[in-house]
Amino acid sequence: MVDEAFSREDAQDAQDRLWVRQVQQHDDRAAFACLLRRHQGMVRALLRRLTRGDAARADELAQEAFLQAYRALPAFRGEARFRSWLYRIACNCFLQQQRLGASELAQRSESLAEDDGAWEPAAGAQAELPQQVALRLDLGRALARLSAPEQEAIVHCYLAELSHSEAAALLGWPLGTLKTHLLRGKIKLKEFLQAWAPHATEEVLP
């Protein structure tokens, strides 16, 4: 059974490489559509986990990831599986939106706070909103300070809630490599977010 599973994966990878070459050499839109049909379900499932079940946001991120993948495909050299490469693009789209969203929310909150009392939040929300904004900003900044492999390990294992084996297979890494990057990333995040402990580490890390 295990050999059969590996044979299927090898066959799928070979077909992916063929479609990639067709896109690279002939700008074959039909070949790219085949790649999307094969992988879009898994990409959307991953993004739904990252967005905590927000299907609309996950679909929006998936579309952006597919667009970026199409633009970047001429530079793809096959060092990793196409699937892993595509999933990394999807995760980067999620991280970028997280940082931009936190920044925009902070700016909006500051603008409202300067509006001479025209905006009056419900009781308790006034103190809570700036704290949430600040935490999201710090989380985004902390993730941005990690190396790319550390970011990917944290995103896949903690935000997407994949097992170590699943994340390693998805990223095309040996299990030991994944665990190393995960441990280093976790240590750094806890250091960067000391001021928020334990609240921030509960939100990001188990």
Side-chain angles (χ1 to χ4, degrees), residues 98-107 110 130-144 193 196:
Q98 285 287 95
R99 297 179 198 121
L100 290 174
S103 178
E104 290 172 2
L105 186 58
Q107 291 173 3
E110 290 171 2
Q131 186 179 42
Q132 290 175 343
V133 170
L135 175 55
R136 285 182 59 188
L137 278 168
D138 284 350
L139 286 174
R141 288 167 181 158
L143 282 168
L193 298 170
W196 289 101

Side-chain angles (χ1 to χ4, degrees), residues 58-73:
D59 287 346
E60 176 188 334
L61 286 168
Q63 291 300 320
E64 177 62 25
F66 298 148
L67 180 60
Q68 289 191 19
Y70 181 75
R71 290 171 175 168
L73 202 55

Side-chain angles (χ1 to χ4, degrees), residues 92 94-95 99 137-159 173 178 180-193 201 204-205:
N92 286 336
F94 167 77
L95 288 169
R99 297 179 198 121
L137 278 168
D138 284 350
L139 286 174
R141 288 167 181 158
L143 282 168
R145 292 173 67 183
L146 302 180
S147 69
E150 290 163 355
Q151 280 187 16
E152 290 167 357
I154 292 291
V155 165
H156 284 77
C157 291
Y158 291 123
L159 299 182
W173 296 348
L178 173 87
T180 297
H181 290 311
L182 191 62
L183 178 60
R184 290 174 179 169
K186 187 173 180 178
I187 290 172
K188 289 180 182 178
L189 276 184
K190 287 188 173 181
E191 178 184 347
F192 298 154
L193 298 170
T201 52
V204 180
L205 308 175

